[in-house]
Amino acid sequence: MAESTDSSNVPRHIAFIMDGNGRWAKARGLPRLKGHEAGAETVRLVIRCCRDWGVRYLTLYAFSTENWRRPALEVNGLMRLLQKFLQENEGGLHEHGVRLRVIGRRGDLPGSVRREVERVEAATVNYDSGELILALSYGGRVEIAEAARRIAEKVAKGELKPGAVNEKVVTDHLYAPDVPDPDLVVRTSGEFRTSNFLPWQSVYSEWLITPVLWPDFSESDFQAVIEAYTRRNRRFGGVESGVTKESNG
Ligand code: FPP
């Protein structure tokens, strides 16, 4: 860890929008899938960086509800890549006590991918050194709509009073209610969009856009991101800590 970085300020939860695989491949005259393969190597690197820096929760936007619109060749290749990634990296999760979770419409996934994901989730469910959260067939609006539907069902059955529905109740019906909100959301490849990623959970997150394409994202980029985060002053709608209401005028 860099000496200048205060470890108490390292984010507890980082979420990444891993963008730029296609452009990385195109720039090299390669098929898009080669970009995703290179991106999977960056995933391994970032998991290691989180361990080294003491970041406990890592969420990765690996496949959105909108990504099903891509050509079948790319979608199938991404699904195969995911399965391979899980098979090749499960050992590391066990070795380091990392729990795997998936958020998203898991029922949309091909049966073999879903079975593999759920097998690894079950095998790592008791680990508590860190959490790797893969957003798969994930869409933030769908997540909120599904939560609303389940809440409405409980209200209809008389299990919940309409007046009791508050922010906590909504959070409790999201995919991973016990995971703290991301402190930091990073998007690679220079795009300034949130793309339906964690809209409920990221309202107070720090956002950071880097021009680096995901397959090129390196350990020093990770360090730069952490250092930029530690320099930011999170106020959650309040005032700077140590500044009283009176002194703030
Ligand atoms: C966006 O880049 C990236 C994706 C839609 C897929 C991300 C998948 C990986 C990084 C690899 C597999 C993941 C795991 C967890 C093993 P893009 O294709 O939209 O890039 P472009 O905007 O340059 O076209």
Side-chain angles (χ1 to χ4, degrees), residues 42-77:
T42 307
V43 169
R44 286 163 55 86
L45 173 107
V46 166
I47 293 172
R48 185 162 40 83
C49 289
C50 284
R51 201 165 57 238
D52 291 349
W53 284 79
V55 175
R56 192 177 164 78
Y57 299 89
L58 170 65
T59 299
L60 299 172
Y61 204 4
F63 198 89
S64 73
T65 45
E66 291 74 27
N67 286 152
W68 295 110
R69 296 187 202 132
R70 294 191 177 200
L73 185 72
E74 184 172 349
V75 169
N76 295 339

Short mmCIF file of all heavy atoms in Angstrom, two decimals, residues 42-77:
data_model
loop_
_atom_site.label_atom_id
_atom_site.label_comp_id
_atom_site.label_asym_id
_atom_site.label_seq_id
_atom_site.Cartn_x
_atom_site.Cartn_y
_atom_site.Cartn_z
N THR A 42 -8.16 -8.73 -16.46
CA THR A 42 -8.22 -7.54 -15.59
C THR A 42 -9.07 -7.83 -14.36
O THR A 42 -8.78 -7.34 -13.26
CB THR A 42 -8.77 -6.32 -16.36
OG1 THR A 42 -8.02 -6.15 -17.55
CG2 THR A 42 -8.71 -5.05 -15.54
N VAL A 43 -10.11 -8.64 -14.54
CA VAL A 43 -10.94 -9.00 -13.38
C VAL A 43 -10.07 -9.69 -12.32
O VAL A 43 -10.12 -9.37 -11.13
CB VAL A 43 -12.12 -9.92 -13.82
CG1 VAL A 43 -12.82 -10.52 -12.61
CG2 VAL A 43 -13.12 -9.13 -14.66
N ARG A 44 -9.23 -10.61 -12.78
CA ARG A 44 -8.34 -11.31 -11.83
C ARG A 44 -7.43 -10.32 -11.11
O ARG A 44 -7.22 -10.40 -9.90
CB ARG A 44 -7.49 -12.35 -12.57
CG ARG A 44 -8.27 -13.58 -13.00
CD ARG A 44 -7.53 -14.38 -14.06
NE ARG A 44 -6.18 -14.75 -13.65
CZ ARG A 44 -5.90 -15.84 -12.94
NH1 ARG A 44 -6.85 -16.66 -12.59
NH2 ARG A 44 -4.66 -16.10 -12.60
N LEU A 45 -6.89 -9.38 -11.89
CA LEU A 45 -5.98 -8.38 -11.32
C LEU A 45 -6.69 -7.52 -10.27
O LEU A 45 -6.17 -7.28 -9.18
CB LEU A 45 -5.45 -7.50 -12.46
CG LEU A 45 -4.62 -6.31 -11.99
CD1 LEU A 45 -3.15 -6.55 -12.30
CD2 LEU A 45 -5.07 -5.02 -12.64
N VAL A 46 -7.91 -7.10 -10.61
CA VAL A 46 -8.63 -6.19 -9.70
C VAL A 46 -9.04 -6.93 -8.41
O VAL A 46 -9.02 -6.35 -7.32
CB VAL A 46 -9.82 -5.54 -10.44
CG1 VAL A 46 -10.80 -4.87 -9.49
CG2 VAL A 46 -9.31 -4.51 -11.44
N ILE A 47 -9.38 -8.20 -8.54
CA ILE A 47 -9.70 -8.98 -7.33
C ILE A 47 -8.47 -9.01 -6.43
O ILE A 47 -8.55 -8.82 -5.21
CB ILE A 47 -10.14 -10.42 -7.71
CG1 ILE A 47 -11.48 -10.38 -8.46
CG2 ILE A 47 -10.23 -11.30 -6.47
CD1 ILE A 47 -11.90 -11.72 -9.06
N ARG A 48 -7.31 -9.21 -7.04
CA ARG A 48 -6.07 -9.26 -6.24
C ARG A 48 -5.79 -7.89 -5.61
O ARG A 48 -5.43 -7.80 -4.44
CB ARG A 48 -4.90 -9.71 -7.14
CG ARG A 48 -3.61 -9.91 -6.38
CD ARG A 48 -2.61 -10.76 -7.16
NE ARG A 48 -2.56 -10.48 -8.58
CZ ARG A 48 -1.87 -9.49 -9.15
NH1 ARG A 48 -1.17 -8.70 -8.45
NH2 ARG A 48 -1.86 -9.32 -10.46
N CYS A 49 -5.99 -6.82 -6.38
CA CYS A 49 -5.76 -5.47 -5.84
C CYS A 49 -6.67 -5.22 -4.64
O CYS A 49 -6.24 -4.64 -3.64
CB CYS A 49 -6.03 -4.41 -6.91
SG CYS A 49 -4.80 -4.34 -8.21
N CYS A 50 -7.93 -5.63 -4.75
CA CYS A 50 -8.87 -5.40 -3.62
C CYS A 50 -8.36 -6.12 -2.38
O CYS A 50 -8.41 -5.58 -1.27
CB CYS A 50 -10.27 -5.90 -3.99
SG CYS A 50 -11.11 -4.77 -5.10
N ARG A 51 -7.86 -7.33 -2.58
CA ARG A 51 -7.33 -8.08 -1.43
C ARG A 51 -6.13 -7.32 -0.84
O ARG A 51 -6.06 -7.12 0.37
CB ARG A 51 -6.90 -9.46 -1.93
CG ARG A 51 -6.82 -10.47 -0.83
CD ARG A 51 -6.76 -11.88 -1.34
NE ARG A 51 -5.66 -12.12 -2.24
CZ ARG A 51 -5.78 -12.56 -3.48
NH1 ARG A 51 -6.97 -12.79 -4.00
NH2 ARG A 51 -4.73 -12.77 -4.23
N ASP A 52 -5.23 -6.88 -1.71
CA ASP A 52 -4.01 -6.20 -1.25
C ASP A 52 -4.33 -4.90 -0.51
O ASP A 52 -3.65 -4.53 0.43
CB ASP A 52 -3.09 -5.86 -2.43
CG ASP A 52 -2.48 -7.11 -3.05
OD1 ASP A 52 -2.61 -8.20 -2.45
OD2 ASP A 52 -1.90 -7.01 -4.15
N TRP A 53 -5.36 -4.19 -0.97
CA TRP A 53 -5.67 -2.89 -0.39
C TRP A 53 -6.71 -2.95 0.72
O TRP A 53 -7.06 -1.94 1.32
CB TRP A 53 -6.17 -1.94 -1.49
CG TRP A 53 -5.07 -1.43 -2.35
CD1 TRP A 53 -4.46 -2.10 -3.37
CD2 TRP A 53 -4.41 -0.17 -2.25
NE1 TRP A 53 -3.49 -1.32 -3.93
CE2 TRP A 53 -3.44 -0.14 -3.26
CE3 TRP A 53 -4.56 0.94 -1.43
CZ2 TRP A 53 -2.60 0.96 -3.46
CZ3 TRP A 53 -3.74 2.03 -1.62
CH2 TRP A 53 -2.76 2.03 -2.62
N GLY A 54 -7.27 -4.13 0.95
CA GLY A 54 -8.25 -4.26 2.02
C GLY A 54 -9.64 -3.76 1.64
O GLY A 54 -10.40 -3.33 2.50
N VAL A 55 -9.96 -3.84 0.35
CA VAL A 55 -11.33 -3.50 -0.09
C VAL A 55 -12.17 -4.77 0.07
O VAL A 55 -11.86 -5.81 -0.52
CB VAL A 55 -11.36 -3.05 -1.57
CG1 VAL A 55 -12.78 -2.82 -2.05
CG2 VAL A 55 -10.49 -1.81 -1.76
N ARG A 56 -13.20 -4.70 0.88
CA ARG A 56 -13.90 -5.93 1.27
C ARG A 56 -14.93 -6.40 0.23
O ARG A 56 -15.10 -7.59 0.02
CB ARG A 56 -14.59 -5.67 2.60
CG ARG A 56 -15.10 -6.87 3.26
CD ARG A 56 -15.70 -6.54 4.60
NE ARG A 56 -16.49 -7.67 5.01
CZ ARG A 56 -15.98 -8.77 5.52
NH1 ARG A 56 -14.69 -8.88 5.73
NH2 ARG A 56 -16.76 -9.78 5.85
N TYR A 57 -15.60 -5.47 -0.40
CA TYR A 57 -16.65 -5.82 -1.37
C TYR A 57 -16.27 -5.28 -2.74
O TYR A 57 -15.94 -4.09 -2.88
CB TYR A 57 -18.00 -5.19 -0.97
CG TYR A 57 -18.52 -5.64 0.37
CD1 TYR A 57 -18.17 -4.96 1.54
CD2 TYR A 57 -19.37 -6.75 0.47
CE1 TYR A 57 -18.65 -5.36 2.77
CE2 TYR A 57 -19.86 -7.15 1.71
CZ TYR A 57 -19.49 -6.45 2.85
OH TYR A 57 -19.97 -6.85 4.07
N LEU A 58 -16.37 -6.15 -3.72
CA LEU A 58 -16.09 -5.76 -5.11
C LEU A 58 -17.28 -6.17 -5.97
O LEU A 58 -17.61 -7.36 -6.02
CB LEU A 58 -14.82 -6.46 -5.60
CG LEU A 58 -14.52 -6.35 -7.10
CD1 LEU A 58 -14.23 -4.91 -7.50
CD2 LEU A 58 -13.32 -7.24 -7.47
N THR A 59 -17.93 -5.21 -6.59
CA THR A 59 -19.04 -5.54 -7.50
C THR A 59 -18.61 -5.24 -8.93
O THR A 59 -18.07 -4.16 -9.21
CB THR A 59 -20.31 -4.72 -7.16
OG1 THR A 59 -20.71 -5.04 -5.82
CG2 THR A 59 -21.46 -5.05 -8.09
N LEU A 60 -18.86 -6.18 -9.82
CA LEU A 60 -18.46 -6.03 -11.22
C LEU A 60 -19.68 -6.16 -12.12
O LEU A 60 -20.44 -7.14 -12.02
CB LEU A 60 -17.45 -7.12 -11.59
CG LEU A 60 -16.14 -7.12 -10.79
CD1 LEU A 60 -15.32 -8.37 -11.13
CD2 LEU A 60 -15.34 -5.86 -11.06
N TYR A 61 -19.85 -5.17 -13.00
CA TYR A 61 -20.96 -5.20 -13.95
C TYR A 61 -20.51 -6.04 -15.14
O TYR A 61 -19.89 -5.54 -16.07
CB TYR A 61 -21.26 -3.76 -14.39
CG TYR A 61 -22.65 -3.47 -14.90
CD1 TYR A 61 -23.66 -4.42 -14.90
CD2 TYR A 61 -22.97 -2.19 -15.35
CE1 TYR A 61 -24.94 -4.12 -15.34
CE2 TYR A 61 -24.26 -1.87 -15.78
CZ TYR A 61 -25.23 -2.84 -15.77
OH TYR A 61 -26.50 -2.52 -16.20
N ALA A 62 -20.82 -7.33 -15.09
CA ALA A 62 -20.29 -8.25 -16.10
C ALA A 62 -21.25 -8.43 -17.27
O ALA A 62 -20.81 -8.75 -18.38
CB ALA A 62 -20.00 -9.61 -15.46
N PHE A 63 -22.56 -8.25 -17.02
CA PHE A 63 -23.53 -8.44 -18.11
C PHE A 63 -24.83 -7.77 -17.71
O PHE A 63 -25.41 -8.09 -16.66
CB PHE A 63 -23.75 -9.95 -18.34
CG PHE A 63 -24.36 -10.26 -19.68
CD1 PHE A 63 -23.56 -10.49 -20.79
CD2 PHE A 63 -25.73 -10.32 -19.84
CE1 PHE A 63 -24.12 -10.78 -22.03
CE2 PHE A 63 -26.30 -10.61 -21.07
CZ PHE A 63 -25.49 -10.84 -22.17
N SER A 64 -25.30 -6.85 -18.55
CA SER A 64 -26.51 -6.11 -18.20
C SER A 64 -27.73 -6.74 -18.85
O SER A 64 -27.61 -7.55 -19.79
CB SER A 64 -26.38 -4.65 -18.65
OG SER A 64 -26.49 -4.58 -20.06
N THR A 65 -28.91 -6.33 -18.38
CA THR A 65 -30.15 -6.83 -19.02
C THR A 65 -30.18 -6.40 -20.49
O THR A 65 -30.78 -7.08 -21.32
CB THR A 65 -31.40 -6.30 -18.28
OG1 THR A 65 -31.22 -4.90 -18.01
CG2 THR A 65 -31.65 -7.01 -16.97
N GLU A 66 -29.51 -5.29 -20.80
CA GLU A 66 -29.48 -4.79 -22.19
C GLU A 66 -28.47 -5.57 -23.05
O GLU A 66 -28.58 -5.59 -24.28
CB GLU A 66 -29.11 -3.30 -22.22
CG GLU A 66 -30.18 -2.38 -21.65
CD GLU A 66 -30.30 -2.41 -20.13
OE1 GLU A 66 -29.29 -2.70 -19.45
OE2 GLU A 66 -31.41 -2.18 -19.61
N ASN A 67 -27.49 -6.20 -22.42
CA ASN A 67 -26.45 -6.89 -23.20
C ASN A 67 -26.99 -8.10 -23.98
O ASN A 67 -26.34 -8.59 -24.90
CB ASN A 67 -25.28 -7.34 -22.31
CG ASN A 67 -24.38 -6.21 -21.86
OD1 ASN A 67 -23.76 -6.27 -20.81
ND2 ASN A 67 -24.30 -5.14 -22.67
N TRP A 68 -28.20 -8.60 -23.63
CA TRP A 68 -28.77 -9.71 -24.39
C TRP A 68 -29.03 -9.32 -25.84
O TRP A 68 -29.20 -10.17 -26.70
CB TRP A 68 -30.08 -10.20 -23.74
CG TRP A 68 -29.90 -10.79 -22.38
CD1 TRP A 68 -30.30 -10.25 -21.20
CD2 TRP A 68 -29.28 -12.04 -22.05
NE1 TRP A 68 -29.96 -11.08 -20.16
CE2 TRP A 68 -29.33 -12.19 -20.65
CE3 TRP A 68 -28.67 -13.05 -22.80
CZ2 TRP A 68 -28.80 -13.28 -19.97
CZ3 TRP A 68 -28.14 -14.16 -22.13
CH2 TRP A 68 -28.21 -14.26 -20.74
N ARG A 69 -29.06 -7.99 -26.10
CA ARG A 69 -29.32 -7.53 -27.48
C ARG A 69 -28.09 -7.67 -28.38
O ARG A 69 -28.16 -7.41 -29.56
CB ARG A 69 -29.71 -6.05 -27.48
CG ARG A 69 -31.01 -5.79 -26.77
CD ARG A 69 -31.40 -4.32 -26.97
NE ARG A 69 -32.32 -3.90 -25.93
CZ ARG A 69 -32.21 -2.80 -25.21
NH1 ARG A 69 -31.22 -1.96 -25.44
NH2 ARG A 69 -33.08 -2.51 -24.27
N ARG A 70 -26.97 -8.01 -27.81
CA ARG A 70 -25.75 -8.14 -28.64
C ARG A 70 -25.85 -9.40 -29.51
O ARG A 70 -26.64 -10.31 -29.21
CB ARG A 70 -24.52 -8.22 -27.73
CG ARG A 70 -24.32 -6.90 -27.01
CD ARG A 70 -22.98 -6.83 -26.31
NE ARG A 70 -22.84 -5.52 -25.70
CZ ARG A 70 -21.70 -4.96 -25.34
NH1 ARG A 70 -20.57 -5.61 -25.53
NH2 ARG A 70 -21.68 -3.76 -24.80
N PRO A 71 -25.01 -9.48 -30.56
CA PRO A 71 -25.08 -10.66 -31.43
C PRO A 71 -24.87 -11.95 -30.62
O PRO A 71 -24.11 -11.96 -29.63
CB PRO A 71 -23.91 -10.46 -32.41
CG PRO A 71 -23.59 -8.99 -32.35
CD PRO A 71 -24.00 -8.51 -31.00
N ALA A 72 -25.56 -13.02 -31.07
CA ALA A 72 -25.53 -14.29 -30.32
C ALA A 72 -24.10 -14.78 -30.11
O ALA A 72 -23.75 -15.32 -29.05
CB ALA A 72 -26.34 -15.34 -31.08
N LEU A 73 -23.24 -14.55 -31.12
CA LEU A 73 -21.85 -15.01 -31.01
C LEU A 73 -21.18 -14.39 -29.78
O LEU A 73 -20.48 -15.06 -29.02
CB LEU A 73 -21.10 -14.60 -32.29
CG LEU A 73 -19.66 -15.10 -32.42
CD1 LEU A 73 -19.66 -16.60 -32.69
CD2 LEU A 73 -18.94 -14.36 -33.56
N GLU A 74 -21.42 -13.09 -29.60
CA GLU A 74 -20.79 -12.39 -28.47
C GLU A 74 -21.43 -12.81 -27.14
O GLU A 74 -20.72 -13.06 -26.15
CB GLU A 74 -20.90 -10.86 -28.66
CG GLU A 74 -20.18 -10.11 -27.56
CD GLU A 74 -20.09 -8.60 -27.81
OE1 GLU A 74 -20.40 -8.15 -28.92
OE2 GLU A 74 -19.68 -7.90 -26.87
N VAL A 75 -22.76 -12.91 -27.13
CA VAL A 75 -23.45 -13.30 -25.89
C VAL A 75 -22.99 -14.70 -25.47
O VAL A 75 -22.62 -14.92 -24.30
CB VAL A 75 -24.99 -13.27 -26.09
CG1 VAL A 75 -25.70 -13.91 -24.91
CG2 VAL A 75 -25.47 -11.82 -26.26
N ASN A 76 -22.98 -15.64 -26.42
CA ASN A 76 -22.58 -17.01 -26.08
C ASN A 76 -21.13 -17.06 -25.63
O ASN A 76 -20.78 -17.77 -24.68
CB ASN A 76 -22.78 -17.95 -27.28
CG ASN A 76 -24.25 -18.08 -27.64
OD1 ASN A 76 -25.12 -17.79 -26.80
ND2 ASN A 76 -24.54 -18.48 -28.87
N GLY A 77 -20.30 -16.25 -26.29
CA GLY A 77 -18.88 -16.21 -25.92
C GLY A 77 -18.70 -15.67 -24.50
O GLY A 77 -17.90 -16.19 -23.72
#
